[in-house]
Amino acid sequence: MKQKFAFISRHKATDLQIAIADTANIELVHVGDRDAFTFNVDEFRQDETLDGVIVVHPAAAMRLLPFLKVGIFE
């Protein structure tokens, strides 16, 4: 069974990003953009359907890392 990771970005995942995630047995769930400095971490931490998050901004990764598995795309 694939792990579900929220894909936090204003852009949808590219075919390459989907393929990379697939090799790690991850399904990307696009949730739209968030401000990396002010978003509510609990939105993702409390979502029991998610196994982790994929972000593009290092600040978002640092805020989420204590609570969830985190992946980063450029």
Side-chain angles (χ1 to χ4, degrees), residues 34-35 38-46 63-64:
R34 303 294 188 281
D35 182 296
T38 62
F39 73 91
N40 183 358
V41 172
D42 288 335
E43 174 185 356
F44 302 101
R45 196 170 94 179
Q46 295 173 357
R63 294 192 66 204
L64 290 160

Side-chain angles (χ1 to χ4, degrees), residues 26-40:
I26 293 172
E27 175 188 348
L28 299 178
V29 179
H30 187 248
V31 296
D33 200 15
R34 303 294 188 281
D35 182 296
F37 299 100
T38 62
F39 73 91
N40 183 358

Side-chain angles (χ1 to χ4, degrees), residues 4-22:
K4 285 190 169 189
F5 276 50
F7 182 68
I8 304 172
S9 175
R10 67 177 170 231
H11 305 287
K12 291 196 176 186
T14 65
D15 290 341
L16 179 58
Q17 290 169 326
I18 292 168
I20 291 168
D22 192 52

Side-chain angles (χ1 to χ4, degrees), residues 50-72:
L50 296 174
D51 299 297
V53 295
I54 302 286
V55 298
V56 296
H57 197 290
M62 295 304 292
R63 294 192 66 204
L64 290 160
L65 194 54
F67 309 108
L68 293 162
K69 296 176 191 175
V70 176
I72 301 172

